Amino acid sequence: MNDILAYSRWCLGVVILILAWEITGNRGWLGSTWPPLSSIFDYLNSRPNLELLVRNAGVTGVNAVLGLLFGTLIGALLAILGFLIPRLYPGLSTFATFVNALPLIALGPLLIITVGEGATPVAIATLSVFFSFFVAAISGINQTTAIQRDVTIVFGASRWKKLRFVQLPAAVPRLFDGLKLGASAAVLGAILGEWFGSGSGLGVILVSAMQNFQIELLWSAALFGTLLTITGFVCISLIRIAFFRRYL
Amino acid sequence: MAEFQKETLGSPLDGSPPTSVMQPFIEIDGVSKRFHLSRSDYVDALVDISFEIYRNEFVALVGPSGCGKSTLLRMIAGLDEPSDGVIKVGDDHPRELIAKQRVGMAMQEHGLMPWLDAVGNVSLPFRLAGLPIDPERVEELLELVKLSKFSNARPSQLSGGMKQRLSIARALVLQPDLLILDEPFGALDAVTRRMMNQELQRIWSRKPTTTVLVTHSLEEAVFLSDRILMMSPNPGTVISEYPVPLPRPRTLETSREKDFLSLVESVTARLDEICATELLS
């Protein structure tokens, strides 16, 4: 019953948001650059327009997924390394913080000339994902209680066995939180990377629509970016639910 | 080592004791523990403690809070190092015994893994030791602690007493040479606690294992152990020793008998005395 109530509240919120957007655009309260939602849907109603956006959203989606994958892997590897070799941890942590502190926008041109235009979106997506996953993994690995750790030591576990059978399973909820954060960061990173002069992707559309004052296209691209993030979020939530049903 | 053997061979119990009981297993020699609070400030938690625990003997460490009994237990378990002195368990450093996976431990907080069911938790020591899981042994242990029906239950689905029984099953599954118990029933209500003591006594009597128990309950200490070591604080040291000559198996009836009650009474009187001096000083 509570679920239904929460769900209907959620729907009501979405409806209010859509209505507010529509009315604001229709009345022109925020100027000509804020179109009503219906005109964006009108724009998308034409097959070539829709195809253009779907194709480029697909490119961004692939970039984001690759970035999420690489970023997660790197973050996880660094966290595991930091756990297995405790001496390395302070250095790794400083390194990760340092990389995260670099403004990605400054890294863009650097990446273009090093890894090339094609790989820049994936590289930036990777960089934006790895830190949040690294932090989530480190905090997850340390989720066990002192007693659980003592018991593990007394049973004579090696560091690896400790990680494999105690610390990693204990980290799972945090890892999924890290993935969720990573999903939105990956889309953002991919778009930013495409912005710097990739051949295709939502980032490219955003830049060209902005420069050519194609308001509907600009908003459509933003909408598709949002849809990508939501899709990623929903996918990870579903995997999480399936995982917890199966193992927890 | 030679000297050590001479001493024990010369003990008056040379006649026909249960040989398993009389072999020294844990040797604690001049052990001290100093905790540094700051650069110049420190506290001596334990000072110059020496005693022996025999193979398959059940020893209870009792004493007022802060007398360092848990610290001593942690050092015997290999979780902490003495600042001075030597602890040997079966001729090894405690950490070597850990590395051989010969130690079992159950604490006041059960420390069970919430993502594993009862079978998974009892199998965990096999996994951590890198040994193949012996499902029959796991089954046997669950039966021993009367949790066979709950083999697929997770810790969150079990009562406090069940969780403690499960953590004892986990401690025993690899047939340890040394069992470490730190207030294993401390969080349970009085009635459950008496039941658990009876259960632990039954389980232990089936296969006696060298056991060191830390407890606040003197009834529990008398009921379970072969010998009680009483400690006093500031600085922590062993002050008296009480053999517990009550025959096994002990039952709830035992705990109402005169011998039992008078021993509890004299141990309690000693503890009260220590606490009183402590308060006056």
Side-chain angles (χ1 to χ4, degrees):
Chain A
M1 192 58 211
N2 272 336
D3 283 359
I4 298 172
L5 204 69
Y7 185 69
S8 38
R9 275 206 202 113
W10 184 85
C11 286
L12 190 70
V14 172
V15 168
I16 289 174
L17 189 75
I18 289 173
L19 277 179
W21 186 342
E22 181 64 24
I23 293 168
T24 309
N26 218 339
R27 296 288 157 118
W29 285 335
L30 290 171
S32 59
T33 51
W34 190 292
L37 198 56
S38 55
S39 71
I40 297 167
F41 283 120
D42 273 346
Y43 176 82
L44 288 174
N45 204 11
S46 102
R47 208 185 160 89
N49 291 350
L50 187 65
E51 271 176 1
L52 174 78
L53 278 154
V54 169
R55 197 172 57 240
N56 285 287
V59 171
T60 304
V62 169
N63 285 337
V65 168
L66 286 176
L68 186 62
L69 210 67
F70 292 141
T72 306
L73 274 177
I74 295 173
L77 276 178
L78 289 185
I80 288 173
L81 210 63
F83 176 80
L84 290 179
I85 313 170
R87 276 187 177 185
L88 279 183
Y89 175 69
L92 285 174
S93 173
T94 314
F95 168 73
T97 314
F98 179 74
V99 172
N100 186 55
L102 283 173
L104 292 174
I105 204 109
L107 270 180
L110 216 68
L111 286 169
I112 297 263
I113 56 166
T114 48
V115 301
E117 277 174 7
T120 298
V122 178
I124 294 195
T126 304
L127 283 174
S128 17
V129 169
F130 104 97
F131 185 72
S132 56
F133 196 78
F134 173 73
V135 172
I138 286 289
S139 101
I141 283 174
N142 293 315
Q143 279 296 293
T144 45
T145 62
I147 302 295
Q148 285 171 334
R149 286 196 289 274
D150 282 352
V151 165
T152 315
I153 294 171
V154 167
F155 283 128
S158 65
R159 248 190 131 63
W160 167 250
K161 292 243 155 55
K162 203 171 153 185
L163 181 72
R164 164 74 182 76
F165 293 113
V166 179
Q167 315 279 101
L168 268 189
V172 167
R174 289 289 168 104
L175 295 185
F176 276 107
D177 290 345
L179 272 179
K180 275 187 180 174
L181 285 174
S184 46
V187 173
L188 205 69
I191 290 176
L192 188 66
E194 289 157 4
W195 193 291
F196 287 113
S198 186
S200 54
L202 287 179
V204 180
I205 302 254
L206 283 168
V207 175
S208 99
M210 180 183 70
Q211 284 165 351
N212 299 310
F213 214 69
Q214 292 167 285
I215 300 301
E216 275 84 12
L217 181 60
L218 188 60
W219 280 93
S220 304
L223 198 66
F224 269 78
T226 312
L227 285 178
L228 276 182
T229 308
I230 292 174
T231 311
F233 220 77
V234 169
C235 283
I236 287 163
S237 300
L238 289 177
I239 295 172
R240 182 193 165 109
I241 290 168
F243 186 91
F244 277 57
R245 285 240 174 97
R246 173 76 182 76
Y247 292 104
L248 296 176
Chain B
M1 189 59 221
E3 209 177 316
F4 179 64
Q5 270 173 348
K6 227 185 292 164
E7 247 174 64
T8 50
L9 284 174
S11 73
L13 287 143
D14 235 21
S16 56
T19 48
S20 58
V21 175
M22 291 329 291
Q23 281 173 300
F25 184 58
I26 303 176
E27 194 186 349
I28 292 165
D29 190 8
V31 163
S32 302
K33 181 72 183 178
R34 173 172 289 186
F35 289 110
H36 291 270
L37 304 174
S38 67
R39 202 165 277 227
S40 55
D41 205 10
Y42 59 81
V43 60
D44 285 316
L46 299 169
V47 170
D48 196 21
I49 293 184
S50 300
F51 62 88
E52 283 153 10
I53 293 175
Y54 298 103
R55 192 172 282 279
N56 297 344
E57 190 185 20
F58 195 127
V59 167
L61 294 175
V62 299
S65 299
C67 67
K69 49 193 191 298
S70 287
T71 306
L72 185 58
L73 191 72
R74 284 182 69 81
M75 293 194 294
I76 296 172
L79 287 168
D80 213 340
E81 286 288 318
S83 312
D84 202 6
V86 178
I87 296 180
K88 271 190 174 176
V89 185
D91 291 338
D92 290 329
H93 187 283
R95 270 212 308 267
E96 290 170 66
L97 203 69
I98 282 183
K100 291 184 197 161
Q101 289 117 11
R102 303 307 312 146
V103 186
M105 182 169 81
M107 319 276 267
Q108 176 168 349
E109 289 171 61
H110 52 77
L112 297 166
M113 308 303 159
W115 59 89
L116 295 173
D117 60 11
V119 170
N121 267 297
V122 177
S123 314
L124 187 68
F126 283 106
R127 291 182 184 276
L128 292 175
L131 299 168
I133 294 171
D134 179 351
E136 278 168 29
R137 175 75 185 151
V138 173
E139 183 67 24
E140 187 190 327
L141 256 299
L142 285 173
E143 206 154 300
L144 191 67
V145 298
K146 299 179 177 161
L147 285 173
S148 300
K149 278 189 201 153
F150 297 89
S151 50
N152 292 319
R154 296 188 192 282
S156 59
Q157 295 165 315
L158 299 174
S159 72
M162 287 169 160
K163 278 186 255 201
Q164 289 308 328
R165 294 209 305 263
L166 191 58
S167 90
I168 285 170
R170 179 180 63 178
L172 291 172
V173 74
L174 294 182
Q175 301 193 312
D177 292 335
L178 172 61
L179 182 60
I180 299 286
L181 300 173
D182 191 351
E183 288 277 3
F185 310 130
L188 303 180
D189 63 90
V191 178
T192 315
R193 190 164 183 163
R194 277 165 66 83
M195 291 313 198
M196 297 297 297
N197 281 336
Q198 201 190 358
E199 285 300 295
L200 178 58
Q201 202 278 145
R202 175 182 65 85
I203 292 166
W204 190 86
S205 299
R206 278 178 52 158
K207 190 185 177 301
T209 304
T210 314
T211 303
V212 190
L213 165 78
V214 159
T215 180
H216 278 109
S217 160
L218 300 178
E219 284 86 3
E220 185 170 285
V222 173
F223 187 78
L224 289 171
S225 69
D226 297 316
R227 187 155 55 111
I228 297 173
L229 296 175
M230 171 137 342
M231 296 177 67
S232 73
N234 296 329
T237 184
V238 176
I239 198 165
S240 333
E241 188 178 330
Y242 297 86
V244 183
L246 302 171
R248 291 180 193 271
R250 300 169 189 165
T251 59
L252 287 179
E253 283 77 55
T254 313
S255 66
R256 290 192 297 269
E257 278 166 17
K258 226 174 85 191
D259 287 352
F260 178 90
L261 293 173
S262 66
L263 187 52
V264 170
E265 200 183 301
S266 57
V267 180
T268 309
R270 184 74 179 109
L271 182 64
D272 288 348
E273 205 181 303
I274 294 169
C275 290
T277 357
E278 188 58 31
L279 282 174
L280 289 175
S281 65

